[in-house]
Amino acid sequence: MPITYLDAPSGLPVEAKSKLVKDIYGALHEAYPFPDDVRIFLREWPAESVSQDGKLESEPARPVFMMHVPEGVNLEAKRKMLKGINAAVAEAYHLPKFMIFIQEYPLERVALDGDLHSDNKARVDAQKKAYGG
């Protein structure tokens, strides 16, 4: 269920974007193997649309990665995942100060097609098995 957003400078070639999302997916999927529904939205920002310290076009946008993920992944798996995501973004953009924000949700705060994940016994059991809960 990881839903992610990468805000980054515009201009990365399609081949580099393909490698980037493949590498990010690998890091996310290892930490969150169930279900296999990882979404990565790339949001590109031209310099004239980014302010750093109150100045437009002062430097390329520093990438920021936001993740909406289920609760339950252990700390070591998160550390490994974050290193993998950071390495993928650093390779693609060669920019400093890359931030990652993690927003975790219990299953009773996520719905699919109008039904709470916490009401889906198969989902609850599979997540417990996958995350060691």
Side-chain angles (χ1 to χ4, degrees):
M1 165 198 125
I3 307 296
T4 65
Y5 302 89
L6 176 62
D7 289 288
S10 58
L12 196 64
V14 171
E15 299 81 23
K17 287 180 193 178
S18 292
K19 181 175 182 347
L20 172 66
V21 298
K22 182 179 179 188
D23 292 348
I24 291 173
Y25 166 80
L28 286 164
H29 184 67
E30 188 172 340
Y32 301 96
F34 175 84
D36 192 17
D37 185 8
V38 175
R39 300 178 196 186
I40 303 165
F41 294 92
L42 300 178
R43 300 187 291 200
E44 297 183 305
W45 298 94
E48 66 270 9
S49 295
V50 178
S51 166
Q52 179 66 32
D53 297 329
K55 300 175 192 161
L56 281 176
E57 301 185 74
S58 62
E59 58 187 78
R62 293 181 190 167
V64 176
F65 192 71
M66 291 183 272
M67 305 169 47
H68 298 276
V69 296
E71 289 181 333
V73 172
N74 75 55
L75 197 53
E76 285 308 312
K78 282 183 193 176
R79 286 185 176 115
K80 184 176 180 185
M81 172 193 65
L82 295 171
K83 293 285 186 195
I85 294 169
N86 191 78
V89 173
E91 181 182 344
Y93 291 99
H94 309 287
L95 292 169
K97 308 285 185 187
F98 175 54
M99 299 287 296
I100 300 174
F101 295 91
I102 303 170
Q103 178 66 51
E104 295 181 307
Y105 298 91
L107 294 182
E108 67 269 8
R109 292 189 57 209
V110 179
L112 175 65
D113 296 331
D115 297 317
L116 288 172
H117 276 326
S118 60
D119 292 339
N120 181 336
K121 183 174 174 12
R123 166 66 195 222
V124 171
D125 292 344
Q127 184 166 318
K128 283 180 183 176
K129 182 179 176 186
Y131 302 152

